[in-house]
Amino acid sequence: MTAQTKTAVHAPTLRMMAAGCPMTLDHSGALFIEDAKLLAVSDMHLEKGTSWGRRSIFLPPYDTAVTLRLLANVINRYLPETLVFLGDSFHDVGGPNRLIEEDRHLLDTLTTRQETCWIAGNHDPELAAGLSGRSSDELAAGGFLFRHVPDITRSNSFEISGHLHPVASVSGRGRSVRRRCFAADHGRMILPAFGAYTGGLNIRDMAFKGLFDPATFAAHVIGDKQIYSFPGLPVAR
């Protein structure tokens, strides 16, 4: 896995090679595999705001609209032929039924533009009736294996997953910032959470222990103007 170029533009990207295929890491947290024209996003957690509201934890219920507008922007830039959601697309199984009409229409529009696959997550183990696309526990395509939870067991395919919402803390010039990141080595990549209301788990957390090869690991950290690559596996705490 080698980084090739960095681009500091309005939507920073990082182009890389993985499993012999060029791919683009997008500032949004999406991943585009160029040869397959496949776009993957993970952990949107749509309707998290309304889910919390049902438990009397009140947040502005606009996270779905913000996340879907971001998704629309990414789809319009890459024009994929396949769209893969890597699980926890909704915050709970009742999320699709709580979509307001405008958000439901936008989601339907976005998921019918290309082939769409919904990978089952722990928050949304089944595809809700009426959503466009097909559902699967995992998807094998073009030398890649897409699933929600990373599997510590190595396979012959390059694994792309989500679930852990990786973030990294970077220190410099007397201050520390915490940013979402793509966590990857020669055989797997864990995507950052795509949703507006999703938190993150530091890559030093024990949940990441054993998932990556220290010799080939890199955290690709999403900055304001650039995606920065930091090689070397941090010690789990």
Side-chain angles (χ1 to χ4, degrees), residues 25-47:
L25 281 57
D26 191 82
H27 184 265
S28 65
L31 172 70
F32 184 63
I33 300 176
E34 298 175 16
D35 292 349
K37 295 185 178 179
L38 183 151
L39 182 71
V41 300
S42 190
D43 297 277
M44 294 192 296
H45 285 268
L46 301 175
E47 295 301 305

Side-chain angles (χ1 to χ4, degrees), residues 41-48 63 67 84-93 96 117-126 136-137 147-150 161-165 192-196 198:
V41 300
S42 190
D43 297 277
M44 294 192 296
H45 285 268
L46 301 175
E47 295 301 305
K48 182 174 182 177
D63 55 305
T67 301
V84 178
F85 295 115
L86 291 175
D88 286 0
S89 300
F90 286 89
H91 192 65
D92 59 52
V93 293
C117 180
W118 302 80
I119 301 296
N122 55 294
H123 281 256
D124 54 356
E126 296 181 1
S136 179
D137 290 334
R147 55 161 49 111
H148 179 59
V149 179
S161 62
H163 182 59
L164 293 177
H165 304 197
F194 193 83
T198 49

Side-chain angles (χ1 to χ4, degrees), residues 11-213:
T13 61
L14 175 66
R15 295 193 70 246
M16 305 176 57
M17 293 291 293
C21 299
M23 57 173 56
T24 300
L25 281 57
D26 191 82
H27 184 265
S28 65
L31 172 70
F32 184 63
I33 300 176
E34 298 175 16
D35 292 349
K37 295 185 178 179
L38 183 151
L39 182 71
V41 300
S42 190
D43 297 277
M44 294 192 296
H45 285 268
L46 301 175
E47 295 301 305
K48 182 174 182 177
T50 59
S51 178
W52 283 29
R54 291 162 65 91
R55 293 179 287 161
S56 299
I57 304 173
F58 298 107
L59 296 171
Y62 307 123
D63 55 305
T64 294
V66 171
T67 301
L68 290 180
R69 285 198 295 269
L70 178 62
L71 178 63
N73 180 272
V74 175
I75 290 175
N76 288 337
R77 282 193 284 115
Y78 291 100
L79 300 176
E81 295 181 357
T82 304
L83 173 63
V84 178
F85 295 115
L86 291 175
D88 286 0
S89 300
F90 286 89
H91 192 65
D92 59 52
V93 293
N97 294 328
R98 298 196 304 274
L99 288 169
I100 63 172
E101 182 177 354
E102 181 180 356
D103 292 342
R104 181 58 180 257
H105 176 72
L106 178 55
L107 180 60
D108 288 343
T109 299
L110 295 176
T111 54
T112 55
R113 291 177 55 176
Q114 65 285 302
E115 180 182 0
T116 297
C117 180
W118 302 80
I119 301 296
N122 55 294
H123 281 256
D124 54 356
E126 296 181 1
L127 179 65
L131 291 178
S132 301
R134 61 190 178 96
S135 62
S136 179
D137 290 334
E138 57 184 38
L139 173 69
F144 295 91
L145 180 62
F146 300 89
R147 55 161 49 111
H148 179 59
V149 179
D151 186 349
I152 198 169
T153 303
R154 292 281 177 174
S155 70
N156 293 327
S157 299
F158 189 96
E159 180 191 270
I160 298 174
S161 62
H163 182 59
L164 293 177
H165 304 197
V167 300
S169 294
V170 181
S171 299
R173 297 182 180 179
R175 67 189 186 101
S176 178
V177 295
R178 175 182 167 95
R179 295 296 177 91
R180 294 180 304 146
C181 69
F182 298 82
D185 67 4
H186 67 281
R188 67 160 43 98
M189 179 180 290
I190 303 177
L191 269 58
F194 193 83
Y197 278 0
T198 49
L201 187 64
N202 195 292
I203 56 174
R204 294 178 61 199
D205 191 272
M206 287 295 294
F208 291 92
K209 185 176 181 180
L211 288 175
F212 295 107
D213 173 13

